[in-house]
Short mmCIF file of all heavy atoms in Angstrom, two decimals:
data_model
loop_
_atom_site.label_atom_id
_atom_site.label_comp_id
_atom_site.label_asym_id
_atom_site.label_seq_id
_atom_site.Cartn_x
_atom_site.Cartn_y
_atom_site.Cartn_z
N MET A 958 160.16 49.50 112.47
CA MET A 958 159.86 50.56 113.42
C MET A 958 158.46 51.11 113.17
O MET A 958 158.01 51.18 112.05
CB MET A 958 160.87 51.71 113.28
CG MET A 958 162.30 51.28 113.53
SD MET A 958 162.65 51.00 115.27
CE MET A 958 163.15 52.66 115.74
N THR A 959 157.82 51.51 114.23
CA THR A 959 156.46 52.02 114.15
C THR A 959 156.37 53.34 114.90
O THR A 959 156.99 53.51 115.94
CB THR A 959 155.49 51.01 114.79
OG1 THR A 959 155.68 49.73 114.19
CG2 THR A 959 154.05 51.43 114.60
N ASN A 960 155.60 54.25 114.35
CA ASN A 960 155.33 55.51 115.02
C ASN A 960 154.22 55.31 116.03
O ASN A 960 153.17 54.77 115.68
CB ASN A 960 154.86 56.54 113.98
CG ASN A 960 155.85 57.65 113.83
OD1 ASN A 960 156.28 58.23 114.83
ND2 ASN A 960 156.19 57.95 112.61
N TYR A 961 154.44 55.77 117.25
CA TYR A 961 153.43 55.63 118.29
C TYR A 961 152.92 56.99 118.73
O TYR A 961 153.65 57.99 118.70
CB TYR A 961 153.99 54.87 119.50
CG TYR A 961 154.19 53.41 119.23
CD1 TYR A 961 155.42 52.95 118.79
CD2 TYR A 961 153.15 52.51 119.39
CE1 TYR A 961 155.61 51.60 118.52
CE2 TYR A 961 153.33 51.16 119.13
CZ TYR A 961 154.56 50.71 118.70
OH TYR A 961 154.75 49.38 118.42
N TYR A 962 151.65 56.99 119.17
CA TYR A 962 151.00 58.20 119.65
C TYR A 962 150.26 57.88 120.94
O TYR A 962 149.80 56.76 121.13
CB TYR A 962 149.97 58.71 118.63
CG TYR A 962 150.58 59.15 117.33
CD1 TYR A 962 150.78 58.23 116.30
CD2 TYR A 962 150.96 60.47 117.13
CE1 TYR A 962 151.36 58.62 115.10
CE2 TYR A 962 151.53 60.87 115.94
CZ TYR A 962 151.73 59.95 114.92
OH TYR A 962 152.30 60.34 113.74
N VAL A 963 150.13 58.90 121.81
CA VAL A 963 149.30 58.74 123.00
C VAL A 963 148.14 59.74 122.89
O VAL A 963 148.32 60.89 122.48
CB VAL A 963 150.10 58.94 124.31
CG1 VAL A 963 150.76 60.30 124.40
CG2 VAL A 963 149.24 58.66 125.53
N LYS A 964 146.97 59.26 123.22
CA LYS A 964 145.78 60.11 123.14
C LYS A 964 145.80 61.14 124.28
O LYS A 964 146.05 60.78 125.44
CB LYS A 964 144.52 59.24 123.23
CG LYS A 964 143.26 60.02 122.91
CD LYS A 964 142.05 59.11 122.80
CE LYS A 964 140.81 59.93 122.51
NZ LYS A 964 139.61 59.08 122.38
N SER A 965 145.53 62.39 123.94
CA SER A 965 145.58 63.47 124.94
C SER A 965 144.43 63.35 125.93
O SER A 965 144.57 63.65 127.11
CB SER A 965 145.50 64.83 124.25
OG SER A 965 146.52 64.94 123.29
N GLU A 966 143.28 62.93 125.43
CA GLU A 966 142.09 62.81 126.26
C GLU A 966 142.07 61.44 126.93
O GLU A 966 142.26 60.42 126.26
CB GLU A 966 140.86 62.99 125.36
CG GLU A 966 139.55 63.04 126.07
CD GLU A 966 138.38 62.94 125.08
OE1 GLU A 966 138.59 63.30 123.90
OE2 GLU A 966 137.32 62.49 125.47
N ALA A 967 141.86 61.40 128.22
CA ALA A 967 141.82 60.12 128.94
C ALA A 967 140.51 59.40 128.66
O ALA A 967 139.49 60.03 128.38
CB ALA A 967 141.95 60.37 130.43
N ASN A 968 140.54 58.06 128.74
CA ASN A 968 139.29 57.31 128.61
C ASN A 968 138.54 57.30 129.94
O ASN A 968 138.97 57.94 130.91
CB ASN A 968 139.57 55.90 128.07
CG ASN A 968 140.37 55.04 129.04
OD1 ASN A 968 140.51 55.38 130.21
ND2 ASN A 968 140.89 53.93 128.56
N ASP A 969 137.44 56.56 130.02
CA ASP A 969 136.62 56.65 131.24
C ASP A 969 137.27 55.97 132.44
O ASP A 969 136.80 56.13 133.57
CB ASP A 969 135.18 56.14 130.99
CG ASP A 969 135.14 54.82 130.25
OD1 ASP A 969 136.20 54.16 130.16
OD2 ASP A 969 134.07 54.47 129.75
N ARG A 970 138.38 55.25 132.23
CA ARG A 970 139.12 54.71 133.37
C ARG A 970 140.28 55.64 133.78
O ARG A 970 141.07 55.30 134.65
CB ARG A 970 139.67 53.32 133.04
CG ARG A 970 138.55 52.30 132.90
CD ARG A 970 139.07 50.89 132.99
NE ARG A 970 140.06 50.61 131.93
CZ ARG A 970 140.64 49.43 131.78
NH1 ARG A 970 140.37 48.45 132.60
NH2 ARG A 970 141.49 49.23 130.81
N GLY A 971 140.39 56.75 133.06
CA GLY A 971 141.46 57.70 133.37
C GLY A 971 142.77 57.38 132.70
O GLY A 971 143.79 57.98 133.01
N ASP A 972 142.75 56.44 131.76
CA ASP A 972 143.97 56.05 131.05
C ASP A 972 144.11 56.83 129.74
O ASP A 972 143.12 57.06 129.03
CB ASP A 972 143.94 54.56 130.69
CG ASP A 972 143.90 53.66 131.90
OD1 ASP A 972 144.55 54.00 132.90
OD2 ASP A 972 143.22 52.62 131.83
N HIS A 973 145.35 57.16 129.41
CA HIS A 973 145.67 57.74 128.11
C HIS A 973 146.19 56.59 127.25
O HIS A 973 147.20 55.96 127.58
CB HIS A 973 146.71 58.84 128.25
CG HIS A 973 146.20 60.02 129.02
ND1 HIS A 973 145.67 61.12 128.40
CD2 HIS A 973 146.08 60.22 130.35
CE1 HIS A 973 145.27 61.97 129.33
NE2 HIS A 973 145.50 61.46 130.51
N VAL A 974 145.49 56.30 126.17
CA VAL A 974 145.76 55.09 125.40
C VAL A 974 146.83 55.35 124.33
O VAL A 974 146.79 56.36 123.63
CB VAL A 974 144.46 54.55 124.75
CG1 VAL A 974 144.74 53.30 123.93
CG2 VAL A 974 143.44 54.23 125.84
N VAL A 975 147.79 54.42 124.26
CA VAL A 975 148.86 54.48 123.27
C VAL A 975 148.45 53.68 122.03
O VAL A 975 147.97 52.55 122.15
CB VAL A 975 150.17 53.91 123.87
CG1 VAL A 975 151.26 53.76 122.81
CG2 VAL A 975 150.66 54.80 125.02
N HIS A 976 148.63 54.31 120.85
CA HIS A 976 148.30 53.67 119.58
C HIS A 976 149.48 53.72 118.63
O HIS A 976 150.30 54.63 118.71
CB HIS A 976 147.15 54.42 118.88
CG HIS A 976 145.86 54.38 119.60
ND1 HIS A 976 144.96 53.36 119.48
CD2 HIS A 976 145.31 55.27 120.46
CE1 HIS A 976 143.89 53.61 120.22
NE2 HIS A 976 144.09 54.76 120.84
N SER A 977 149.51 52.77 117.70
CA SER A 977 150.45 52.86 116.59
C SER A 977 149.81 53.68 115.48
O SER A 977 148.59 53.86 115.46
CB SER A 977 150.82 51.47 116.08
OG SER A 977 149.78 50.97 115.28
N GLU A 978 150.63 54.16 114.56
CA GLU A 978 150.14 55.05 113.50
C GLU A 978 149.12 54.36 112.59
O GLU A 978 148.35 55.03 111.92
CB GLU A 978 151.31 55.58 112.66
CG GLU A 978 152.07 54.45 111.97
CD GLU A 978 153.34 54.93 111.29
OE1 GLU A 978 153.40 56.11 110.92
OE2 GLU A 978 154.27 54.12 111.14
N GLU A 979 149.14 53.05 112.53
CA GLU A 979 148.25 52.36 111.60
C GLU A 979 146.94 51.91 112.22
O GLU A 979 146.12 51.28 111.56
CB GLU A 979 148.98 51.16 110.99
CG GLU A 979 150.03 51.63 110.01
CD GLU A 979 150.89 50.52 109.47
OE1 GLU A 979 150.68 49.35 109.85
OE2 GLU A 979 151.78 50.83 108.68
N CYS A 980 146.74 52.24 113.49
CA CYS A 980 145.55 51.77 114.18
C CYS A 980 144.30 52.48 113.66
O CYS A 980 144.30 53.67 113.41
CB CYS A 980 145.69 52.03 115.68
SG CYS A 980 144.28 51.41 116.61
N GLN A 981 143.23 51.71 113.54
CA GLN A 981 141.96 52.29 113.10
C GLN A 981 141.38 53.23 114.17
O GLN A 981 140.53 54.06 113.88
CB GLN A 981 140.96 51.19 112.76
CG GLN A 981 140.66 50.27 113.93
CD GLN A 981 139.63 49.19 113.56
OE1 GLN A 981 138.60 49.48 112.94
NE2 GLN A 981 139.90 47.97 113.94
N PHE A 982 141.87 53.10 115.40
CA PHE A 982 141.37 53.94 116.49
C PHE A 982 142.31 55.09 116.83
O PHE A 982 142.15 55.76 117.85
CB PHE A 982 141.12 53.09 117.74
CG PHE A 982 140.13 52.00 117.52
CD1 PHE A 982 140.50 50.66 117.55
CD2 PHE A 982 138.80 52.31 117.24
CE1 PHE A 982 139.58 49.65 117.31
CE2 PHE A 982 137.87 51.31 117.01
CZ PHE A 982 138.26 49.98 117.05
N LEU A 983 143.31 55.32 115.98
CA LEU A 983 144.24 56.42 116.20
C LEU A 983 143.47 57.74 116.31
O LEU A 983 142.66 58.07 115.44
CB LEU A 983 145.21 56.49 115.01
CG LEU A 983 146.29 57.57 115.07
CD1 LEU A 983 147.27 57.30 116.22
CD2 LEU A 983 147.05 57.62 113.75
N PRO A 984 143.69 58.49 117.40
CA PRO A 984 142.95 59.75 117.57
C PRO A 984 143.35 60.79 116.52
O PRO A 984 144.43 60.71 115.94
CB PRO A 984 143.36 60.24 118.96
CG PRO A 984 144.07 59.11 119.61
CD PRO A 984 144.58 58.22 118.54
N ASN A 985 142.49 61.79 116.34
CA ASN A 985 142.80 62.90 115.44
C ASN A 985 144.04 63.65 115.90
O ASN A 985 144.39 63.61 117.08
CB ASN A 985 141.63 63.88 115.38
CG ASN A 985 140.42 63.27 114.72
OD1 ASN A 985 140.55 62.43 113.83
ND2 ASN A 985 139.25 63.68 115.16
N GLU A 986 144.65 64.37 114.96
CA GLU A 986 145.88 65.09 115.22
C GLU A 986 145.80 66.03 116.42
O GLU A 986 146.77 66.20 117.15
CB GLU A 986 146.23 65.93 113.99
CG GLU A 986 147.51 65.49 113.33
CD GLU A 986 147.73 66.24 112.04
OE1 GLU A 986 147.17 65.81 111.00
OE2 GLU A 986 148.42 67.25 112.09
N ASP A 987 144.65 66.64 116.63
CA ASP A 987 144.53 67.60 117.73
C ASP A 987 144.24 66.92 119.06
O ASP A 987 144.07 67.57 120.08
CB ASP A 987 143.47 68.67 117.42
CG ASP A 987 142.11 68.05 117.14
OD1 ASP A 987 141.99 66.81 117.16
OD2 ASP A 987 141.17 68.81 116.91
N ASN A 988 144.18 65.61 119.07
CA ASN A 988 143.88 64.87 120.30
C ASN A 988 144.92 63.78 120.56
O ASN A 988 144.60 62.74 121.12
CB ASN A 988 142.48 64.27 120.23
CG ASN A 988 141.99 63.77 121.58
OD1 ASN A 988 142.48 64.17 122.62
ND2 ASN A 988 141.02 62.87 121.55
N ARG A 989 146.17 64.05 120.14
CA ARG A 989 147.21 63.04 120.37
C ARG A 989 148.57 63.73 120.43
O ARG A 989 148.75 64.84 119.93
CB ARG A 989 147.20 62.01 119.24
CG ARG A 989 147.70 62.55 117.91
CD ARG A 989 147.48 61.58 116.76
NE ARG A 989 148.17 62.04 115.57
CZ ARG A 989 147.84 61.73 114.33
NH1 ARG A 989 146.81 60.93 114.11
NH2 ARG A 989 148.52 62.19 113.30
N LYS A 990 149.50 63.04 121.07
CA LYS A 990 150.88 63.50 121.11
C LYS A 990 151.74 62.42 120.47
O LYS A 990 151.58 61.23 120.79
CB LYS A 990 151.35 63.67 122.55
CG LYS A 990 150.84 64.92 123.24
CD LYS A 990 151.26 64.87 124.71
CE LYS A 990 150.65 65.98 125.51
NZ LYS A 990 151.33 67.27 125.31
N ALA A 991 152.66 62.83 119.60
CA ALA A 991 153.58 61.88 118.98
C ALA A 991 154.61 61.43 120.02
O ALA A 991 155.16 62.25 120.76
CB ALA A 991 154.27 62.53 117.79
N LEU A 992 154.85 60.12 120.08
CA LEU A 992 155.83 59.58 121.02
C LEU A 992 157.15 59.26 120.33
O LEU A 992 158.19 59.23 120.97
CB LEU A 992 155.28 58.31 121.67
CG LEU A 992 154.03 58.52 122.53
CD1 LEU A 992 153.44 57.18 122.94
CD2 LEU A 992 154.34 59.35 123.75
N GLY A 993 157.09 59.00 119.03
CA GLY A 993 158.29 58.66 118.27
C GLY A 993 158.18 57.28 117.65
O GLY A 993 157.16 56.61 117.75
N ASP A 994 159.28 56.89 117.03
CA ASP A 994 159.38 55.68 116.23
C ASP A 994 160.08 54.60 117.06
O ASP A 994 161.25 54.77 117.41
CB ASP A 994 160.30 56.04 115.06
CG ASP A 994 159.75 55.60 113.75
OD1 ASP A 994 158.62 55.12 113.71
OD2 ASP A 994 160.48 55.75 112.76
N TYR A 995 159.39 53.52 117.36
CA TYR A 995 160.01 52.49 118.20
C TYR A 995 159.72 51.10 117.66
O TYR A 995 158.72 50.89 116.97
CB TYR A 995 159.49 52.58 119.65
CG TYR A 995 159.66 53.96 120.22
CD1 TYR A 995 158.55 54.74 120.48
CD2 TYR A 995 160.92 54.49 120.45
CE1 TYR A 995 158.70 56.03 120.97
CE2 TYR A 995 161.09 55.77 120.93
CZ TYR A 995 159.97 56.53 121.19
OH TYR A 995 160.12 57.80 121.65
N ALA A 996 160.57 50.15 118.02
CA ALA A 996 160.39 48.77 117.58
C ALA A 996 159.30 48.09 118.39
O ALA A 996 158.63 47.19 117.88
CB ALA A 996 161.71 48.01 117.73
N LYS A 997 159.12 48.50 119.64
CA LYS A 997 158.16 47.81 120.51
C LYS A 997 157.27 48.82 121.23
O LYS A 997 157.72 49.91 121.59
CB LYS A 997 158.90 47.00 121.58
CG LYS A 997 159.70 45.85 121.01
CD LYS A 997 160.15 44.91 122.11
CE LYS A 997 161.02 45.61 123.14
NZ LYS A 997 161.55 44.65 124.13
N CYS A 998 156.03 48.41 121.50
CA CYS A 998 155.13 49.30 122.21
C CYS A 998 155.61 49.58 123.64
O CYS A 998 155.35 50.64 124.18
CB CYS A 998 153.71 48.75 122.22
SG CYS A 998 153.51 47.16 123.03
N GLU A 999 156.38 48.65 124.22
CA GLU A 999 156.89 48.86 125.57
C GLU A 999 157.69 50.16 125.66
O GLU A 999 157.61 50.89 126.65
CB GLU A 999 157.80 47.70 126.01
CG GLU A 999 157.06 46.46 126.45
CD GLU A 999 156.78 45.49 125.30
OE1 GLU A 999 156.90 45.88 124.11
OE2 GLU A 999 156.43 44.34 125.59
N THR A 1000 158.49 50.43 124.63
CA THR A 1000 159.31 51.65 124.64
C THR A 1000 158.42 52.87 124.54
O THR A 1000 158.60 53.86 125.26
CB THR A 1000 160.30 51.62 123.45
OG1 THR A 1000 160.89 50.34 123.37
CG2 THR A 1000 161.38 52.68 123.63
N ALA A 1001 157.42 52.81 123.66
CA ALA A 1001 156.49 53.93 123.51
C ALA A 1001 155.74 54.18 124.82
O ALA A 1001 155.50 55.33 125.20
CB ALA A 1001 155.49 53.63 122.39
N MET A 1002 155.41 53.11 125.54
CA MET A 1002 154.71 53.25 126.82
C MET A 1002 155.56 54.03 127.82
O MET A 1002 155.05 54.85 128.58
CB MET A 1002 154.39 51.87 127.41
CG MET A 1002 153.38 51.07 126.60
SD MET A 1002 151.71 51.72 126.66
CE MET A 1002 151.22 51.16 128.29
N ASP A 1003 156.87 53.77 127.83
CA ASP A 1003 157.76 54.49 128.74
C ASP A 1003 157.73 55.98 128.46
O ASP A 1003 157.70 56.79 129.38
CB ASP A 1003 159.20 53.98 128.61
CG ASP A 1003 159.39 52.63 129.29
OD1 ASP A 1003 158.54 52.27 130.14
OD2 ASP A 1003 160.38 51.96 128.98
N TYR A 1004 157.72 56.34 127.18
CA TYR A 1004 157.67 57.76 126.83
C TYR A 1004 156.30 58.35 127.13
O TYR A 1004 156.19 59.51 127.55
CB TYR A 1004 158.04 57.95 125.36
CG TYR A 1004 159.53 57.85 125.15
CD1 TYR A 1004 160.13 56.63 124.88
CD2 TYR A 1004 160.35 58.98 125.27
CE1 TYR A 1004 161.51 56.52 124.73
CE2 TYR A 1004 161.73 58.88 125.13
CZ TYR A 1004 162.29 57.65 124.86
OH TYR A 1004 163.66 57.54 124.72
N ALA A 1005 155.26 57.57 126.95
CA ALA A 1005 153.91 58.04 127.26
C ALA A 1005 153.78 58.35 128.75
O ALA A 1005 153.09 59.30 129.14
CB ALA A 1005 152.88 57.00 126.83
N LYS A 1006 154.50 57.55 129.58
CA LYS A 1006 154.44 57.78 131.03
C LYS A 1006 155.11 59.08 131.43
O LYS A 1006 154.85 59.61 132.51
CB LYS A 1006 155.10 56.60 131.76
CG LYS A 1006 154.21 55.38 131.80
CD LYS A 1006 154.94 54.17 132.36
CE LYS A 1006 154.15 52.90 132.05
NZ LYS A 1006 154.98 51.68 132.11
N ASP A 1007 155.99 59.60 130.58
CA ASP A 1007 156.57 60.93 130.84
C ASP A 1007 155.53 62.02 130.63
O ASP A 1007 155.64 63.11 131.17
CB ASP A 1007 157.75 61.21 129.90
CG ASP A 1007 158.96 60.35 130.26
OD1 ASP A 1007 159.01 59.83 131.38
OD2 ASP A 1007 159.84 60.22 129.38
N GLU A 1008 154.53 61.74 129.79
CA GLU A 1008 153.51 62.73 129.46
C GLU A 1008 152.32 62.65 130.41
O GLU A 1008 151.76 63.67 130.81
CB GLU A 1008 152.99 62.51 128.04
CG GLU A 1008 154.04 62.56 126.95
CD GLU A 1008 154.38 63.99 126.54
OE1 GLU A 1008 153.65 64.92 126.93
OE2 GLU A 1008 155.37 64.15 125.82
N PHE A 1009 151.91 61.43 130.75
CA PHE A 1009 150.70 61.23 131.55
C PHE A 1009 150.97 60.18 132.63
O PHE A 1009 151.74 59.25 132.42
CB PHE A 1009 149.55 60.74 130.67
CG PHE A 1009 149.16 61.71 129.59
CD1 PHE A 1009 149.47 61.42 128.26
CD2 PHE A 1009 148.50 62.89 129.89
CE1 PHE A 1009 149.12 62.32 127.25
CE2 PHE A 1009 148.15 63.78 128.88
CZ PHE A 1009 148.46 63.50 127.57
N ASP A 1010 150.30 60.33 133.78
CA ASP A 1010 150.51 59.40 134.89
C ASP A 1010 149.93 58.02 134.58
O ASP A 1010 150.50 57.00 134.92
CB ASP A 1010 149.82 59.92 136.15
CG ASP A 1010 150.57 61.12 136.72
OD1 ASP A 1010 151.77 61.27 136.40
OD2 ASP A 1010 149.97 61.89 137.47
N GLN A 1011 148.76 58.01 133.94
CA GLN A 1011 148.09 56.74 133.67
C GLN A 1011 148.06 56.47 132.19
O GLN A 1011 147.40 57.21 131.43
CB GLN A 1011 146.64 56.84 134.16
CG GLN A 1011 146.37 56.07 135.44
CD GLN A 1011 144.92 56.21 135.85
OE1 GLN A 1011 144.55 57.12 136.58
NE2 GLN A 1011 144.09 55.31 135.36
N VAL A 1012 148.74 55.44 131.74
CA VAL A 1012 148.76 55.11 130.32
C VAL A 1012 148.43 53.64 130.14
O VAL A 1012 148.62 52.81 131.03
CB VAL A 1012 150.12 55.44 129.65
CG1 VAL A 1012 150.43 56.92 129.74
CG2 VAL A 1012 151.24 54.63 130.25
N GLU A 1013 147.93 53.31 128.94
CA GLU A 1013 147.49 51.95 128.63
C GLU A 1013 147.71 51.71 127.15
O GLU A 1013 147.53 52.62 126.34
CB GLU A 1013 145.99 51.85 128.97
CG GLU A 1013 145.30 50.59 128.54
CD GLU A 1013 145.67 49.40 129.38
OE1 GLU A 1013 146.80 48.91 129.24
OE2 GLU A 1013 144.81 48.97 130.17
N GLY A 1014 148.14 50.49 126.79
CA GLY A 1014 148.28 50.15 125.39
C GLY A 1014 146.93 49.84 124.77
O GLY A 1014 146.08 49.23 125.42
N CYS A 1015 146.74 50.24 123.53
CA CYS A 1015 145.48 49.94 122.83
C CYS A 1015 145.33 48.44 122.64
O CYS A 1015 146.28 47.75 122.25
CB CYS A 1015 145.51 50.65 121.48
SG CYS A 1015 144.19 50.18 120.37
N GLN A 1016 144.16 47.95 122.90
CA GLN A 1016 143.87 46.52 122.78
C GLN A 1016 144.04 46.02 121.35
O GLN A 1016 144.41 44.88 121.11
CB GLN A 1016 142.43 46.28 123.25
CG GLN A 1016 142.08 44.83 123.45
CD GLN A 1016 140.74 44.67 124.14
OE1 GLN A 1016 139.98 45.62 124.29
NE2 GLN A 1016 140.43 43.46 124.55
N THR A 1017 143.75 46.89 120.39
CA THR A 1017 143.77 46.51 118.98
C THR A 1017 145.18 46.53 118.39
O THR A 1017 145.62 45.57 117.77
CB THR A 1017 142.86 47.45 118.18
OG1 THR A 1017 141.55 47.35 118.72
CG2 THR A 1017 142.85 47.08 116.71
N CYS A 1018 145.91 47.63 118.59
CA CYS A 1018 147.20 47.77 117.91
C CYS A 1018 148.39 47.47 118.83
O CYS A 1018 149.50 47.25 118.33
CB CYS A 1018 147.35 49.16 117.31
SG CYS A 1018 147.38 50.50 118.51
N CYS A 1019 148.18 47.48 120.14
CA CYS A 1019 149.28 47.24 121.09
C CYS A 1019 148.87 46.18 122.12
O CYS A 1019 148.95 46.44 123.32
CB CYS A 1019 149.65 48.52 121.82
SG CYS A 1019 150.12 49.89 120.76
N PRO A 1020 148.43 45.01 121.65
CA PRO A 1020 147.94 43.99 122.61
C PRO A 1020 149.01 43.58 123.62
O PRO A 1020 148.68 43.22 124.75
CB PRO A 1020 147.51 42.82 121.72
CG PRO A 1020 148.19 43.04 120.42
CD PRO A 1020 148.36 44.52 120.27
N ASP A 1021 150.30 43.65 123.23
CA ASP A 1021 151.37 43.28 124.16
C ASP A 1021 151.45 44.25 125.34
O ASP A 1021 151.99 43.91 126.39
CB ASP A 1021 152.73 43.27 123.46
CG ASP A 1021 152.83 42.13 122.45
OD1 ASP A 1021 151.96 41.25 122.46
OD2 ASP A 1021 153.79 42.14 121.66
N CYS A 1022 150.95 45.46 125.13
CA CYS A 1022 151.02 46.49 126.17
C CYS A 1022 149.65 46.74 126.78
O CYS A 1022 149.50 47.64 127.62
CB CYS A 1022 151.57 47.80 125.61
SG CYS A 1022 153.29 47.62 125.09
N HIS A 1023 148.65 45.99 126.34
CA HIS A 1023 147.32 46.15 126.90
C HIS A 1023 147.19 45.26 128.12
O HIS A 1023 147.55 44.08 128.09
CB HIS A 1023 146.24 45.79 125.88
CG HIS A 1023 144.85 45.92 126.41
ND1 HIS A 1023 144.27 47.14 126.58
CD2 HIS A 1023 143.99 45.00 126.85
CE1 HIS A 1023 143.05 46.95 127.09
NE2 HIS A 1023 142.86 45.67 127.27
N ASP A 1024 146.65 45.85 129.18
CA ASP A 1024 146.66 45.16 130.46
C ASP A 1024 145.23 45.02 130.89
O ASP A 1024 144.56 46.00 131.17
CB ASP A 1024 147.55 46.04 131.33
CG ASP A 1024 147.48 45.70 132.77
OD1 ASP A 1024 147.42 44.52 133.06
OD2 ASP A 1024 147.53 46.65 133.56
N GLY A 1025 144.74 43.82 130.88
CA GLY A 1025 143.38 43.58 131.32
C GLY A 1025 142.39 43.82 130.24
O GLY A 1025 141.24 43.83 130.43
ZN1 LIG B 2030 145.22 51.37 118.71
#
């Protein structure tokens, strides 16, 4: 299981990026929301969509959920 976070600040495409806790690009504590502990990034993405309309998996830590 992995802890996932979504970045509070959107990137320049308007996406809020989902990261795992071990990602080198994990945002600082004041710029992220904890999503919880999940086996797959797909599950974390579903929870991130409850928080923000536009979400995207991080290319580095969540390549299975990164689109494009
Ligand atoms: Zn990441």
